[in-house]
Amino acid sequence: MTEFHEQDLSGADFERVSLRAATFSRVSLNDARMQAIDFTGAHIRGALFNRSRLRGVELVDVEISGELGNVVVNGVDIAPLVDAELNRRMPERAKMRPGDADGFREAWAILERRWADTVARARTFPEEALHRSVEEEWSFIQTLRHLNFASAAWVGRMVLGDASPWHPLDLPWDEAPGWDGIPWDRAARPSLDEVLAVRGERQAMVRGVMESLTDDQLASEVSRPEPGWPQEENFPVRNCLSIVLNEEWEHRLYAERDLTALEKDN
């Protein structure tokens, strides 16, 4: 098997080449031109398709999960249509984009209530099942670990100013570049109760910020230039809290989806 590591193949020409079952990780295809390409059976995650143009494509039996914005299919921007349909199916989803401090408090209360139901459901499964991956996604426990990381990053570090708010079980996203001093042990297998203990502390931290939040604070900005992540200058507090709301909402849906799959497997 031919391997390419740390090589610059910019401008290379591939014609009548088979890359079947090849693995691409941290590969840049910026401004690439592709014609008569077969993606049948491909699995793509953590990808950026910004400003991409697809012409003459066939999208049949395709599943797309991600952030949509200005996605034009056959002349129709489907992003607002998808957004409206998701809000119709899940009316509380629209509350995850609050406009003021009271709205953020309401959104967080919804998330805590929803997650309490999801955790109660998860407790009906054997502990081993909660470490099981469904279609190469995070396990239930890994999902909780990632949400602990997100709250620590965007509330603990950015909003509250703790330069290193981490717990050893925190889990960054898989495509993260990695940083000194930030834990990242994907293979760890803590118990559900161990992770929920950290989770309770992080939820209380976010709840405290939401309870005291004012509209003036929401409109303010924070800077964290010191090494680590996030490392941002003049970043809106509103955006920090919105990221946490989005992470909590979307990952709960993923968790529920995977619990349903685990039920079917048993």
Side-chain angles (χ1 to χ4, degrees):
M1 179 180 65
T2 303
E3 296 187 1
F4 299 92
H5 296 282
E6 303 292 338
Q7 295 187 46
D8 186 350
L9 300 178
S10 299
D13 182 21
F14 298 89
E15 185 173 352
R16 300 186 184 278
V17 173
S18 175
L19 294 172
R20 182 184 296 272
T23 299
F24 299 87
S25 178
R26 303 183 189 276
V27 173
S28 172
L29 293 171
N30 296 55
D31 302 319
R33 296 292 181 268
M34 302 182 186
Q35 184 173 353
I37 302 297
D38 187 351
F39 280 103
T40 303
H43 290 255
I44 302 171
R45 68 178 296 166
L48 298 177
F49 280 96
N50 300 338
R51 298 183 301 281
S52 297
R53 296 291 181 268
L54 287 72
R55 300 285 188 265
V57 301
E58 294 184 17
L59 289 175
V60 180
D61 295 329
V62 175
E63 179 181 340
I64 300 174
S65 176
E67 189 76 20
L68 301 182
N70 192 28
V71 181
V72 180
V73 178
N74 292 339
V76 178
D77 183 359
I78 67 169
L81 306 179
V82 173
D83 195 55
E85 175 60 15
L86 290 174
N87 287 344
R88 186 190 69 79
R89 295 182 184 185
M90 300 172 288
E92 288 180 324
R93 179 178 180 272
K95 295 181 181 293
M96 296 301 114
R97 299 173 185 174
D100 57 20
D102 286 338
F104 274 87
R105 277 185 280 276
E106 181 183 14
W108 185 252
I110 290 170
L111 288 167
E112 289 211 65
R113 185 182 72 247
R114 290 294 208 115
W115 264 110
D117 292 342
T118 299
V119 169
R121 181 187 180 192
R123 286 193 179 281
T124 67
F125 288 76
E127 182 103 351
E128 178 61 30
L130 302 182
H131 286 290
R132 193 180 307 161
S133 171
V134 176
E135 294 188 357
E136 301 181 355
E137 299 291 343
W138 280 328
S139 69
F140 184 83
I141 287 177
Q142 286 172 329
T143 295
L144 294 181
R145 292 174 58 201
H146 174 68
L147 291 175
N148 288 344
F149 168 80
S151 294
W154 293 105
V155 178
R157 179 175 162 93
M158 289 299 294
V159 176
L160 297 178
D162 185 347
S164 185
W166 318 113
H167 185 278
L169 292 178
D170 289 346
L171 184 64
W173 69 101
D174 282 347
E175 296 79 21
W179 312 270
D180 291 336
I182 297 181
W184 191 352
D185 185 0
R186 198 184 195 280
R189 291 176 66 86
S191 68
L192 177 61
D193 286 336
E194 285 179 294
V195 175
L196 287 177
V198 182
R199 174 86 167 141
E201 294 174 359
R202 297 287 166 73
Q203 287 179 312
M205 174 186 68
V206 178
R207 189 186 316 122
V209 169
M210 296 296 190
E211 287 174 349
S212 63
L213 186 67
T214 66
D215 288 339
D216 285 343
Q217 289 173 323
L218 194 59
S220 66
E221 296 178 339
V222 289
S223 295
R224 300 292 173 250
E226 63 272 10
W229 191 87
Q231 190 175 27
E232 300 283 352
E233 294 273 5
N234 303 319
F235 198 82
V237 169
R238 175 188 299 275
N239 290 8
C240 295
L241 299 180
S242 293
I243 289 170
V244 172
L245 295 185
N246 183 69
E247 288 281 303
E248 293 276 344
W249 177 267
E250 295 296 338
H251 281 286
R252 195 194 69 82
L253 295 180
Y254 301 151
E256 289 281 355
R257 174 200 65 195
D258 292 347
L259 290 175
T260 297
L262 291 172
E263 284 177 338
K264 293 178 179 178
D265 289 343
N266 294 331

